[in-house]
Amino acid sequence: MSKYLIDKFLFTVDRDPDLVERYREDPRGTVTWWEAERANSILNCHSGEASTWLKFEDDEREALAAHDYVKLFELGAHPFLTLTLFIAMFERDYDEPLGFQLAYAARLAHFDLPYPDIAT
Amino acid sequence: MATLAAVIASTHHPFYYKASTAPPEERPPFADEWVAKIMAFRETLTRARPDVLVMVGSDHFHQLWLDNMPQFLIGKAPFYDAGYYNEEREFGLPRMLLRGQEDLSAHMLRGGIDGGFDLAFSNELRIDHSITCPIITLRPEADLPIVPVYTNIFAPPLPQPKRFVQLGRMIRELVESWPSDLRVAVVGTGHLSLELGGPRQFGPHGPDPEFDRKAVEWIASGDIEASLAEVTLDSLWTPGNATHGFMDFMLMMGVAGEGAKADHVDTLDLFHTMEAYFTWYPAGAPE
């Protein structure tokens, strides 16, 4: 039900430079704040419109709070959204070009086809 | 009626801009070969003397999102801003302002809907790298008006591959029925085998060189039937989880026509993906 909300989190954070840094430095606090304050705003509305029912499942909330991109892949988060946001946060920590991307792939090496369904 | 001056299909590698503009000491070892191939490819469009570019690409969750996702969308605006913060961040891509060709947009929307495609439209589309990358490689002056056509190639459920081919055929009909004396080039970008955010990403080659070899042959020879016989929405996961972008190549094969052999074919085996470049001249090769 809430895979959509994982993707919405990744999507909205990735678009905002301040949120990217906030999520890097304080993942659990950012996830808690985002779910309480931002999750249910309906995109493209000027203001004041919100969903009353969307929320994370416990394992989804924990995966986001732990920066656990392996778990996010397993849960079916859209891989493009996960990759771009996590590159933004962690590529800087690697000396070699593509170092983070290659480490990312290695951590997912136990996955085989068919991959988890990414449809929302 | 308008002239279909060229049909051009390519990959849209966002690293090209940085690789080709970096100072010599920072250029990757493959940059010179890559630039040489792009210069030859660019000349195929220049020689066609286009007045207008119809540009087929895919929004990468920049403007189009899961709250309201169109399968096929045509932009209709006098201007298009292009570029996003996360494209500057990851690829160093420049911002652009591209002029629109609203008459052709209107003609394609009316004719496409009447012809059986329930096309979405946007009057304030902001363009991302699937269209800015071919501008950078093929028309860096960014001086021609465009009609953007966006397809959904990565937010399931996706349209079937045959639908992309059919839209390509429709785009050709619409361009050739446009009451204008202008020369139109249709430029589209897609992928060969590609993995993003998965265990096979960023290897020394594309994740499935065998698929790439077959795909290049299908495109170069215009073998739409063979590609449709082998490619399904399910099968496209096998060569890499982002390979559904190949359907934009299938769309461009539809524009070029069944059995139409490309006049220019080139490839470059880069890390993590195979670059590929194709040009057709439906009205005959330019002098």
Side-chain angles (χ1 to χ4, degrees), chain A:
Chain A
M1 180 181 77
S2 51
K3 192 199 302 183
Y4 174 79
L5 206 59
I6 298 179
D7 286 339
K8 186 172 176 181
F9 177 89
L10 299 169
F11 169 72
T12 53
V13 173
D14 185 63
R15 295 163 67 92
D16 184 326
D18 294 335
L19 273 183
V20 170
E21 296 308 312
R22 182 171 172 179
Y23 182 45
R24 172 183 159 95
E25 298 304 324
D26 178 19
R28 194 167 297 276
T30 305
V31 170
T32 301
W33 163 81
W34 187 89
E35 187 173 12
E37 304 293 335
R38 291 287 186 91
N40 288 317
S41 68
I42 298 175
L43 298 179
N44 294 325
C45 291
H46 293 292
S47 64
E49 298 293 343
S51 163
T52 60
W53 55 271
L54 281 168
K55 65 175 183 176
F56 292 127
E57 301 289 346
D58 289 345
D59 58 348
E60 296 168 338
R61 189 180 298 108
E62 183 57 27
L64 289 171
H67 283 161
D68 188 349
Y69 52 83
V70 179
K71 184 67 176 179
L72 292 172
F73 186 86
E74 178 189 324
L75 291 170
H78 198 290
F80 184 86
L81 291 167
T82 311
L83 179 65
T84 55
L85 175 56
F86 279 72
I87 285 176
M89 291 193 297
F90 298 122
E91 188 177 28
R92 70 188 80 166
D93 297 334
Y94 290 73
D95 293 330
E96 291 296 314
L98 302 180
F100 173 68
Q101 288 90 324
L102 294 172
Y104 189 118
R107 287 198 61 203
L108 292 170
H110 57 290
F111 284 98
D112 204 346
L113 292 172
Y115 294 164
D117 183 8
I118 63 168
T120 48

Side-chain angles (χ1 to χ4, degrees), chain B:
Chain B
M1 294 297 162
T3 300
L4 181 59
V7 179
I8 294 189
S10 80
T11 40
H12 60 253
H13 204 312
F15 292 166
Y16 176 76
Y17 179 77
K18 190 178 279 186
S20 61
T21 58
E25 64 276 13
E26 295 177 17
R27 282 163 74 92
F30 48 80
D32 288 347
E33 183 184 11
W34 200 359
V35 169
K37 286 177 180 286
I38 291 298
M39 291 302 133
F41 187 40
R42 181 181 303 169
E43 180 60 20
T44 68
L45 178 64
T46 306
R47 289 175 62 208
R49 298 179 290 107
D51 301 304
V52 181
L53 303 177
V54 173
M55 304 208 65
V56 178
S58 53
D59 178 81
H60 296 72
F61 284 148
H62 284 120
Q63 179 156 214
L64 307 179
W65 172 241
L66 301 168
D67 63 334
N68 193 358
M69 176 61 74
Q71 301 296 351
F72 300 114
L73 178 148
I74 294 182
K76 183 182 181 300
F79 293 93
Y80 299 94
D81 283 307
Y84 287 84
Y85 141 71
N86 60 5
E87 293 181 313
E88 292 178 317
R89 179 188 75 201
E90 288 179 27
F91 313 127
L93 289 174
R95 304 272 178 143
M96 295 183 187
L97 176 64
L98 301 169
R99 194 155 44 96
Q101 216 311 338
E102 287 195 89
D103 288 343
L104 181 54
S105 288
H107 174 75
M108 291 176 64
L109 282 165
R110 184 70 268 164
I113 292 168
D114 290 348
F117 276 91
D118 298 325
L119 300 166
F121 65 88
S122 172
N123 291 142
E124 52 174 291
L125 194 62
R126 188 181 186 98
I127 301 299
D128 84 353
H129 74 268
S130 71
I131 287 178
T132 60
C133 286
I135 291 289
I136 288 166
T137 53
L138 291 161
R139 194 75 179 189
E141 305 91 334
D143 59 339
L144 297 178
I146 70 166
V147 174
V149 179
Y150 267 140
T151 67
N152 173 20
I153 50 91
F154 75 3
L158 307 180
Q160 295 290 342
K162 67 180 180 186
R163 201 64 176 149
F164 285 75
V165 173
Q166 290 167 348
L167 181 59
R169 290 177 178 141
M170 174 67 73
I171 287 173
R172 178 165 182 161
E173 288 178 21
L174 294 168
V175 167
E176 293 182 331
S177 65
W178 183 35
S180 166
D181 59 0
L182 296 177
R183 296 172 62 81
V184 180
V186 182
V187 178
T189 63
H191 303 299
L192 299 179
S193 71
L194 182 64
E195 176 114 334
L196 295 173
R200 295 174 288 170
Q201 68 180 5
F202 293 101
H205 308 283
D208 192 338
E210 174 60 17
F211 175 85
D212 294 345
R213 186 194 62 73
K214 280 194 294 188
V216 169
E217 177 60 27
W218 289 332
I219 301 167
S221 61
D223 199 346
I224 296 172
E225 283 193 24
S227 64
L228 280 174
E230 191 155 334
V231 169
T232 68
L233 290 175
D234 286 337
S235 78
L236 283 173
W237 292 104
T238 306
N241 66 354
T243 310
H244 290 82
F246 179 66
M247 293 193 293
D248 279 338
F249 271 126
M250 298 179 79
L251 187 157
M252 298 308 297
M253 292 166 71
V255 179
E258 175 67 40
K261 295 191 182 339
D263 294 281
H264 175 88
V265 178
D266 204 359
T267 60
L268 177 62
D269 189 10
L270 271 182
F271 67 96
H272 92 82
T273 189
M274 170 75 80
E275 291 289 278
Y277 315 110
F278 307 89
T279 301
W280 295 261
Y281 295 117
E287 295 294 321

